[in-house]
Amino acid sequence: MTTETAELAPVTIYVDADACPVKDEIYRVAIRHGLPVIVVAGGFIRVPEDPLITRVAAGSGMDAADDWIAERAGADDVVITADIPLASRCVKACSAVIAPNGKAFTEESIGMTLAVRNLMTDLRSSGEVTGGPRSFTPRDRSTFLSTLDQTIRRMQRQRAARMQQQG
């Protein structure tokens, strides 16, 4: 793909879909902005009939969906995932990464987030009871919608500024 072609490609939203509680919200926001959504799961997952929405069954391997997303997501893409190792890989690829609760993963935050996740995994494997994640709330859904919309608008402004500089 040439640089010129890459500049014309729209922002794409990749969804790590197996346990994503905000898929319907993603579809609505993407359709409103006219952006393609690629919904990636280990196996079959139902998606709306819309030309902007593509379903990918990545396979049943341990991290098949994560690997599929990480190999394709780039600087002008948004990745929706609660999977911290996947978030880390996508942040390194310069993607905008958002958790379903609206938390944005950034270069500044991903290192500590990954370290805490690894510590909690180690504690659980040694028999500690850590309680697990808190319940998903309506406020999380609202925060997610706001963060996704702001992220898309920011990325579109940045792309427009780059194209204007080149033009």
Side-chain angles (χ1 to χ4, degrees):
M1 183 182 298
T2 67
T3 304
E4 190 174 301
T5 306
E7 288 300 320
L8 298 176
V11 171
T12 299
I13 301 172
Y14 290 90
V15 182
D16 181 11
D18 283 325
C20 182
V22 291
K23 288 187 285 290
D24 290 338
E25 289 79 1
I26 295 166
Y27 304 147
R28 284 197 312 270
V29 171
I31 289 167
R32 186 173 73 237
H33 286 280
L35 300 177
V37 178
I38 301 176
V39 182
V40 185
F44 176 82
I45 190 162
R46 187 174 306 281
V47 299
E49 293 279 334
D50 189 290
L52 288 172
I53 301 171
T54 304
R55 169 184 46 225
V56 173
S60 59
M62 180 66 164
D63 292 319
D66 295 355
D67 291 343
W68 195 97
I69 292 169
E71 289 166 6
R72 289 162 179 83
D76 282 331
D77 299 321
V78 178
V79 176
I80 311 300
T81 186
D83 184 283
I84 295 167
L86 173 59
S88 177
R89 292 169 70 186
C90 294
V91 165
K92 286 178 185 162
C94 299
S95 300
V97 185
I98 306 170
N101 65 4
K103 177 184 179 194
F105 295 106
T106 64
E107 286 185 35
E108 294 77 28
S109 70
I110 196 64
M112 182 60 75
T113 304
L114 193 55
V116 169
R117 180 250 183 212
N118 292 340
L119 173 64
M120 297 307 283
T121 299
D122 290 346
L123 287 173
R124 281 190 295 277
S125 68
S126 70
E128 285 288 323
V129 177
T130 59
R134 64 181 182 79
S135 298
F136 189 77
T137 67
R139 182 180 183 122
D140 292 330
R141 191 173 309 278
S142 176
T143 301
F144 172 79
L145 280 167
S146 176
T147 302
L148 179 59
D149 200 60
Q150 290 171 4
T151 300
I152 290 168
R153 290 180 192 281
R154 176 179 41 82
M155 292 177 81
Q156 288 174 328
R157 282 192 309 271
Q158 290 170 343
R159 286 170 47 90
R162 280 197 317 267
M163 291 176 82
Q164 193 173 31
Q165 287 175 340
Q166 292 175 351

mmCIF file of all heavy atoms in Angstrom, residues 45-67:
data_model
loop_
_atom_site.group_PDB
_atom_site.id
_atom_site.type_symbol
_atom_site.label_atom_id
_atom_site.label_comp_id
_atom_site.label_asym_id
_atom_site.label_seq_id
_atom_site.Cartn_x
_atom_site.Cartn_y
_atom_site.Cartn_z
ATOM 1 N N ILE A 45 -19.927 -15.180 15.132
ATOM 2 C CA ILE A 45 -20.608 -14.195 15.974
ATOM 3 C C ILE A 45 -21.580 -13.430 15.070
ATOM 4 O O ILE A 45 -21.259 -13.113 13.929
ATOM 5 C CB ILE A 45 -19.608 -13.243 16.682
ATOM 6 C CG1 ILE A 45 -20.318 -12.400 17.715
ATOM 7 C CG2 ILE A 45 -18.853 -12.401 15.695
ATOM 8 C CD1 ILE A 45 -19.380 -11.770 18.718
ATOM 9 N N ARG A 46 -22.758 -13.182 15.582
ATOM 10 C CA ARG A 46 -23.780 -12.483 14.791
ATOM 11 C C ARG A 46 -23.476 -10.985 14.785
ATOM 12 O O ARG A 46 -23.163 -10.395 15.810
ATOM 13 C CB ARG A 46 -25.155 -12.737 15.401
ATOM 14 C CG ARG A 46 -26.292 -12.194 14.559
ATOM 15 C CD ARG A 46 -27.653 -12.582 15.104
ATOM 16 N NE ARG A 46 -27.829 -14.003 15.295
ATOM 17 C CZ ARG A 46 -28.111 -14.889 14.328
ATOM 18 N NH1 ARG A 46 -28.221 -14.464 13.079
ATOM 19 N NH2 ARG A 46 -28.275 -16.158 14.597
ATOM 20 N N VAL A 47 -23.573 -10.396 13.585
ATOM 21 C CA VAL A 47 -23.400 -8.949 13.428
ATOM 22 C C VAL A 47 -24.548 -8.422 12.570
ATOM 23 O O VAL A 47 -25.163 -9.179 11.823
ATOM 24 C CB VAL A 47 -22.034 -8.576 12.787
ATOM 25 C CG1 VAL A 47 -20.874 -9.054 13.640
ATOM 26 C CG2 VAL A 47 -21.929 -9.085 11.371
ATOM 27 N N PRO A 48 -24.839 -7.131 12.669
ATOM 28 C CA PRO A 48 -25.898 -6.558 11.833
ATOM 29 C C PRO A 48 -25.557 -6.654 10.348
ATOM 30 O O PRO A 48 -24.387 -6.664 9.963
ATOM 31 C CB PRO A 48 -25.931 -5.085 12.272
ATOM 32 C CG PRO A 48 -25.250 -5.034 13.579
ATOM 33 C CD PRO A 48 -24.260 -6.153 13.587
ATOM 34 N N GLU A 49 -26.603 -6.725 9.537
ATOM 35 C CA GLU A 49 -26.440 -6.707 8.082
ATOM 36 C C GLU A 49 -26.201 -5.257 7.669
ATOM 37 O O GLU A 49 -27.144 -4.475 7.580
ATOM 38 C CB GLU A 49 -27.716 -7.241 7.407
ATOM 39 C CG GLU A 49 -27.972 -8.702 7.649
ATOM 40 C CD GLU A 49 -27.159 -9.596 6.727
ATOM 41 O OE1 GLU A 49 -26.803 -9.139 5.623
ATOM 42 O OE2 GLU A 49 -26.871 -10.727 7.135
ATOM 43 N N ASP A 50 -24.946 -4.901 7.476
ATOM 44 C CA ASP A 50 -24.593 -3.544 7.070
ATOM 45 C C ASP A 50 -23.276 -3.631 6.314
ATOM 46 O O ASP A 50 -22.364 -4.327 6.770
ATOM 47 C CB ASP A 50 -24.443 -2.633 8.300
ATOM 48 C CG ASP A 50 -24.289 -1.179 7.916
ATOM 49 O OD1 ASP A 50 -23.218 -0.818 7.365
ATOM 50 O OD2 ASP A 50 -25.229 -0.402 8.144
ATOM 51 N N PRO A 51 -23.160 -2.954 5.197
ATOM 52 C CA PRO A 51 -21.918 -3.046 4.423
ATOM 53 C C PRO A 51 -20.687 -2.530 5.161
ATOM 54 O O PRO A 51 -19.562 -2.861 4.791
ATOM 55 C CB PRO A 51 -22.202 -2.220 3.163
ATOM 56 C CG PRO A 51 -23.405 -1.413 3.463
ATOM 57 C CD PRO A 51 -24.163 -2.108 4.545
ATOM 58 N N LEU A 52 -20.882 -1.722 6.192
ATOM 59 C CA LEU A 52 -19.744 -1.216 6.956
ATOM 60 C C LEU A 52 -19.225 -2.224 7.992
ATOM 61 O O LEU A 52 -18.143 -2.040 8.539
ATOM 62 C CB LEU A 52 -20.123 0.083 7.687
ATOM 63 C CG LEU A 52 -20.289 1.318 6.819
ATOM 64 C CD1 LEU A 52 -20.848 2.478 7.636
ATOM 65 C CD2 LEU A 52 -18.966 1.706 6.172
ATOM 66 N N ILE A 53 -20.000 -3.264 8.274
ATOM 67 C CA ILE A 53 -19.648 -4.191 9.341
ATOM 68 C C ILE A 53 -19.237 -5.540 8.752
ATOM 69 O O ILE A 53 -19.986 -6.156 8.007
ATOM 70 C CB ILE A 53 -20.821 -4.369 10.322
ATOM 71 C CG1 ILE A 53 -21.210 -3.011 10.927
ATOM 72 C CG2 ILE A 53 -20.460 -5.369 11.430
ATOM 73 C CD1 ILE A 53 -22.481 -3.018 11.736
ATOM 74 N N THR A 54 -18.017 -5.961 9.118
ATOM 75 C CA THR A 54 -17.466 -7.225 8.643
ATOM 76 C C THR A 54 -17.215 -8.138 9.834
ATOM 77 O O THR A 54 -16.677 -7.697 10.855
ATOM 78 C CB THR A 54 -16.123 -6.990 7.903
ATOM 79 O OG1 THR A 54 -16.331 -6.067 6.847
ATOM 80 C CG2 THR A 54 -15.550 -8.291 7.366
ATOM 81 N N ARG A 55 -17.577 -9.391 9.669
ATOM 82 C CA ARG A 55 -17.366 -10.390 10.722
ATOM 83 C C ARG A 55 -16.166 -11.245 10.322
ATOM 84 O O ARG A 55 -16.049 -11.679 9.178
ATOM 85 C CB ARG A 55 -18.608 -11.257 10.853
ATOM 86 C CG ARG A 55 -18.430 -12.474 11.696
ATOM 87 C CD ARG A 55 -19.644 -13.378 11.726
ATOM 88 N NE ARG A 55 -20.188 -13.597 10.399
ATOM 89 C CZ ARG A 55 -21.482 -13.533 10.113
ATOM 90 N NH1 ARG A 55 -22.360 -13.242 11.030
ATOM 91 N NH2 ARG A 55 -21.909 -13.763 8.891
ATOM 92 N N VAL A 56 -15.267 -11.518 11.299
ATOM 93 C CA VAL A 56 -14.123 -12.384 11.061
ATOM 94 C C VAL A 56 -14.097 -13.456 12.140
ATOM 95 O O VAL A 56 -14.082 -13.133 13.337
ATOM 96 C CB VAL A 56 -12.788 -11.594 11.085
ATOM 97 C CG1 VAL A 56 -11.593 -12.537 11.013
ATOM 98 C CG2 VAL A 56 -12.743 -10.570 9.969
ATOM 99 N N ALA A 57 -14.112 -14.709 11.727
ATOM 100 C CA ALA A 57 -13.908 -15.829 12.646
ATOM 101 C C ALA A 57 -12.431 -16.184 12.538
ATOM 102 O O ALA A 57 -11.992 -16.775 11.552
ATOM 103 C CB ALA A 57 -14.798 -17.009 12.266
ATOM 104 N N ALA A 58 -11.649 -15.804 13.545
ATOM 105 C CA ALA A 58 -10.193 -15.913 13.483
ATOM 106 C C ALA A 58 -9.680 -17.322 13.767
ATOM 107 O O ALA A 58 -8.520 -17.606 13.517
ATOM 108 C CB ALA A 58 -9.560 -14.922 14.455
ATOM 109 N N GLY A 59 -10.533 -18.183 14.303
ATOM 110 C CA GLY A 59 -10.099 -19.539 14.621
ATOM 111 C C GLY A 59 -10.105 -19.778 16.114
ATOM 112 O O GLY A 59 -10.222 -18.861 16.911
ATOM 113 N N SER A 60 -9.964 -21.029 16.476
ATOM 114 C CA SER A 60 -10.124 -21.401 17.887
ATOM 115 C C SER A 60 -8.820 -21.426 18.667
ATOM 116 O O SER A 60 -8.804 -21.808 19.828
ATOM 117 C CB SER A 60 -10.805 -22.771 17.975
ATOM 118 O OG SER A 60 -10.009 -23.729 17.295
ATOM 119 N N GLY A 61 -7.728 -21.024 18.056
ATOM 120 C CA GLY A 61 -6.448 -20.990 18.772
ATOM 121 C C GLY A 61 -6.509 -20.056 19.967
ATOM 122 O O GLY A 61 -7.343 -19.149 20.022
ATOM 123 N N MET A 62 -5.606 -20.264 20.912
ATOM 124 C CA MET A 62 -5.612 -19.525 22.181
ATOM 125 C C MET A 62 -5.754 -18.008 21.993
ATOM 126 O O MET A 62 -6.574 -17.384 22.603
ATOM 127 C CB MET A 62 -4.329 -19.849 22.956
ATOM 128 C CG MET A 62 -4.238 -19.152 24.272
ATOM 129 S SD MET A 62 -5.512 -19.744 25.387
ATOM 130 C CE MET A 62 -4.879 -19.158 26.918
ATOM 131 N N ASP A 63 -4.956 -17.416 21.147
ATOM 132 C CA ASP A 63 -5.008 -15.966 20.937
ATOM 133 C C ASP A 63 -5.276 -15.624 19.475
ATOM 134 O O ASP A 63 -4.819 -14.589 18.974
ATOM 135 C CB ASP A 63 -3.686 -15.323 21.383
ATOM 136 C CG ASP A 63 -3.481 -15.397 22.885
ATOM 137 O OD1 ASP A 63 -4.464 -15.189 23.622
ATOM 138 O OD2 ASP A 63 -2.341 -15.654 23.321
ATOM 139 N N ALA A 64 -6.042 -16.455 18.788
ATOM 140 C CA ALA A 64 -6.257 -16.281 17.348
ATOM 141 C C ALA A 64 -6.872 -14.919 17.024
ATOM 142 O O ALA A 64 -6.408 -14.214 16.121
ATOM 143 C CB ALA A 64 -7.115 -17.405 16.780
ATOM 144 N N ALA A 65 -7.918 -14.528 17.746
ATOM 145 C CA ALA A 65 -8.570 -13.237 17.479
ATOM 146 C C ALA A 65 -7.620 -12.089 17.805
ATOM 147 O O ALA A 65 -7.516 -11.121 17.032
ATOM 148 C CB ALA A 65 -9.861 -13.114 18.277
ATOM 149 N N ASP A 66 -6.910 -12.193 18.924
ATOM 150 C CA ASP A 66 -5.958 -11.141 19.302
ATOM 151 C C ASP A 66 -4.863 -10.997 18.252
ATOM 152 O O ASP A 66 -4.519 -9.881 17.851
ATOM 153 C CB ASP A 66 -5.314 -11.461 20.654
ATOM 154 C CG ASP A 66 -6.306 -11.467 21.796
ATOM 155 O OD1 ASP A 66 -7.485 -11.125 21.578
ATOM 156 O OD2 ASP A 66 -5.906 -11.819 22.919
ATOM 157 N N ASP A 67 -4.311 -12.127 17.807
ATOM 158 C CA ASP A 67 -3.250 -12.085 16.808
ATOM 159 C C ASP A 67 -3.760 -11.476 15.500
ATOM 160 O O ASP A 67 -3.065 -10.666 14.879
ATOM 161 C CB ASP A 67 -2.696 -13.495 16.542
ATOM 162 C CG ASP A 67 -1.911 -14.042 17.733
ATOM 163 O OD1 ASP A 67 -1.508 -13.260 18.616
ATOM 164 O OD2 ASP A 67 -1.723 -15.278 17.779
#
